[in-house]
Amino acid sequence: MKQPVEYQVEKVRLSRDLSRGAVRKLLTDHAEYGGWELTRLRRYRDGTREVWIRRKIIKVASTL
């Protein structure tokens, strides 16, 4: 029987002072080096951004 996939979720609040390019670079680095994927991005009227990222939790079965 296949186990359901579990994710580690992180919510990040980004300042409005960050440019679009800086946010893109930050998220790209998280994806490339940390295995994170973008789940949701919300931009508020004041310019701040709230980003939800997730990555799979890989469980290793014991061989003992």
Side-chain angles (χ1 to χ4, degrees), residues 14 23 27 38-43 49-52:
L14 301 173
V23 171
L27 294 175
L38 179 66
T39 303
R40 182 178 183 180
L41 187 139
R42 176 180 267 177
R43 186 167 181 181
R49 295 174 181 96
E50 216 168 47
V51 179
W52 285 263

Side-chain angles (χ1 to χ4, degrees), residues 3-58:
Q3 295 286 340
V5 178
E6 288 187 46
Y7 290 96
Q8 175 185 358
V9 178
E10 195 171 303
K11 185 169 127 180
V12 182
R13 185 97 173 187
L14 301 173
S15 168
R16 69 183 208 178
D17 299 331
L18 289 173
S19 68
R20 235 176 146 178
V23 171
R24 184 178 61 237
K25 176 146 179 43
L26 177 82
L27 294 175
T28 301
D29 288 345
H30 270 73
E32 278 188 45
Y33 303 115
W36 294 94
E37 61 185 36
L38 179 66
T39 303
R40 182 178 183 180
L41 187 139
R42 176 180 267 177
R43 186 167 181 181
Y44 293 100
R45 288 183 181 216
D46 65 355
T48 59
R49 295 174 181 96
E50 216 168 47
V51 179
W52 285 263
I53 53 178
R54 71 180 185 179
R55 64 179 167 188
K56 286 183 184 178
I57 298 174
I58 300 171

